[in-house]
Amino acid sequence: MKLKRLIAAAALFAGSTATNAETYAIQAGRLIVDASQPARGPSTVIVENGRIARIEPGATAPAGAAVIDMTTKTVMPGLIDVHVHLTQNSGEPWYQALTPKYSEPYAAATGIKNALITARAGFTTLRDLGGPTLASLAMRDAIRDGSFPGPRILVAGTPLSMIGGHADVTVGLSPEIGAALNAANLNTGVCTGPDECAKAVHRLAAQGVDVIKFMATGGVLDPGAMGLEQHFTDAEMRSICDTAHQMHLKCAAHAHGAKGIMAAVRAGVDSIEHGTFADDADIKEMKARGTYFSATLMAFTGLQMYMGKGLYTANSEIKARQTLDQWGKALGRAYRAGVKIALGTDAAVYPHGRNAEEIGLMVSKAGMTPRDALVAATKGGADLLGLSSETGTLDPGKSADLIAVDGDPLTDPAAVTHVGYVMVEGKPIPMGR
């Protein structure tokens, strides 16, 4: 039934691609052009050829325009999530990716499904920070080329890991199975030493990824017992970051422990993901270097949902309890220090489609104002991803990435969880479930 609905949505979307050249008049009761600025009253966003042509006061309707009546809602820039895992689902055991169900073709189909779910939740741009490389690329390209409806997607493909680290797929398996996976070249993210790590970055870049992700520290959900502190050496991290930047790619570091965070920041990473145990020294260094912080607070919601249900190993349960004790604390310190912040959620640790709840957690757990949390969810993500000239605000000339929500998200973070309309690059997203 889900597949039938997806096919039906794709057919509807395909039928609407010819409207790229249409003029749309999106009539808003309240309009947020830039989350850092005051909202406007009744306004109309005119979209031509997939881009914002102009904004007119009041509810207007140019001749020949397709009118979208959102006069009871707030129209605003589409949300941006810089940390998702679309090719995976929540609530599945850690070894699920090794079963036939998770072949690369199946993972690509899963990603397309979850991308549409996330677009319907108001997210017009996503950065997928870890999934099978070929599946991730196929998902990105199929949506980009108009075969399926969905958001703009940037992908990392396979994350880089030290041997035995957070993305080493042999961890927790028997030596025989691990050896077979390595022999079949199915553990491509593992690298040792600066030269080997540089080669791994080159391989990913050659395949066409948009960003490099590496595991600077241990992780919660892998079954290993190596803890949450630094994994790659300082020299390996510098090699990864330098090589990525030479290839005109940004890099993101999964990092929980304070020493691993510091090493990644000093290596030149563009964003720290999670940052759970970031201390004052880490935050000072991030501020000085302009490093972005994506705290993925929704991941903790996922941990609470599934702990004690047999999905996690004993090691993961221990690590989960350690991180839950720090929920939102590091982000609060970073916010007060003026560190750059972008919204990221770690979707797949919790069910896809709940991404917008991150904004409420940024307010309740880290003490951010609703406005600043909304800035992080729009302009912050656009800046981190190098897309500020394309999206993040509704300024004329930019891509028509916009949503309509109930209420005022500048004062009420829950408003973004009530989405009534989504447009990505001038294409309406089918909202039927």
Side-chain angles (χ1 to χ4, degrees):
M1 185 60 70
K2 287 184 178 179
L3 180 59
K4 288 181 179 178
R5 286 199 296 266
L6 181 61
I7 292 171
L12 175 62
F13 180 75
S16 70
T17 56
T19 66
N20 279 357
E22 267 192 46
T23 297
Y24 287 89
I26 297 99
Q27 299 174 341
R30 180 190 294 109
L31 179 66
I32 298 172
V33 174
D34 180 331
S36 68
Q37 303 298 320
R40 304 183 187 184
S43 306
T44 302
V45 180
I46 307 299
V47 174
E48 297 175 352
N49 300 317
R51 309 196 78 79
I52 298 168
R54 62 191 180 277
I55 296 171
E56 300 178 349
T60 63
V67 177
I68 311 298
D69 184 356
M70 293 289 137
T71 53
T72 62
K73 299 182 183 296
T74 299
V75 173
M76 58 172 285
L79 301 172
I80 298 172
D81 191 334
V82 304
H83 191 136
V84 300
H85 299 283
L86 295 170
T87 60
Q88 304 165 34
N89 293 316
S90 66
E92 296 178 342
W94 62 271
Y95 53 81
Q96 182 70 52
L98 298 174
T99 66
K101 179 181 177 182
Y102 272 78
S103 64
E104 293 241 4
Y106 190 91
T110 297
I112 289 169
K113 175 202 72 173
N114 289 331
L116 179 56
I117 290 171
T118 312
R120 287 172 169 165
F123 286 79
T124 57
T125 300
L126 302 174
R127 183 173 67 168
D128 189 291
L129 273 188
T133 301
L134 295 180
S136 299
L137 293 168
M139 166 193 67
R140 178 197 70 186
D141 295 349
I143 293 173
R144 179 198 64 197
D145 295 344
S147 298
F148 294 92
R152 177 189 294 102
I153 303 175
L154 283 67
V155 301
T158 302
L160 302 184
S161 170
M162 74 170 195
I163 296 173
H166 186 45
D168 182 343
V169 300
T170 68
V171 173
L173 304 177
S174 70
E176 295 81 5
I177 294 176
L181 290 172
N182 286 325
N185 200 32
L186 296 176
N187 202 18
T188 56
V190 171
C191 56
T192 300
D195 290 344
E196 196 173 298
C197 288
K199 289 180 181 178
V201 173
H202 280 294
R203 284 194 296 269
L204 285 165
Q207 288 180 287
V209 302
D210 304 294
V211 59
I212 300 298
K213 181 186 180 183
F214 66 95
M215 306 305 194
T217 74
V220 173
L221 296 185
D222 69 73
M226 290 189 174
L228 296 171
E229 256 307 342
Q230 183 171 346
H231 276 192
F232 278 119
T233 67
D234 292 3
E236 288 168 336
M237 292 193 208
R238 284 195 299 272
S239 176
I240 292 168
C241 292
D242 288 348
T243 306
H245 293 153
Q246 289 166 6
M247 302 299 292
H248 306 290
L249 299 175
K250 293 193 176 185
C251 54
H254 158 106
H256 286 289
K259 292 181 180 178
I261 294 169
M262 180 64 79
V265 173
R266 288 179 172 171
V269 76
D270 296 287
S271 65
I272 292 293
E273 309 296 318
H274 314 305
T276 311
F277 297 95
D279 59 21
D280 290 342
D282 294 329
I283 289 167
K284 182 178 180 181
E285 194 75 9
M286 291 173 71
K287 170 65 174 174
R289 292 176 178 264
T291 311
Y292 261 94
F293 191 5
S294 166
T296 67
L297 302 183
M298 277 298 292
F300 298 91
T301 298
L303 294 180
Q304 286 186 323
M305 288 176 65
Y306 299 118
M307 283 180 64
K309 296 184 178 180
L311 296 177
Y312 302 156
T313 66
N315 288 332
S316 291
E317 295 264 349
I318 291 170
K319 291 181 285 186
R321 285 191 289 272
Q322 292 172 346
T323 59
L324 277 166
D325 187 56
Q326 299 297 313
W327 196 356
K329 293 179 181 179
L331 179 60
R333 291 193 292 271
Y335 173 61
R336 291 188 292 274
V339 170
K340 295 180 179 180
I341 298 169
L343 179 146
T345 68
D346 215 2
V349 177
Y350 68 91
H352 294 280
R354 294 179 56 186
N355 310 56
E357 294 175 36
E358 181 83 14
I359 294 176
L361 291 174
M362 295 166 90
V363 174
S364 64
K365 294 290 186 181
M368 296 179 68
T369 66
R371 180 184 295 276
D372 286 342
L374 202 65
V375 169
T378 53
K379 296 177 71 175
D383 184 55
L384 170 59
L385 303 186
L387 294 172
S388 290
S389 63
E390 189 71 6
T391 193
T393 68
L394 298 183
D395 293 304
K398 289 191 176 183
S399 176
D401 301 334
L402 55 84
I403 64 175
V405 303
D406 295 333
D408 181 5
L410 292 173
T411 58
D412 177 13
V416 293
T417 65
H418 304 287
V419 178
Y421 183 81
V422 179
M423 174 178 276
V424 179
E425 298 183 89
K427 295 188 282 285
I429 294 293
M431 297 299 284
R433 301 298 195 273

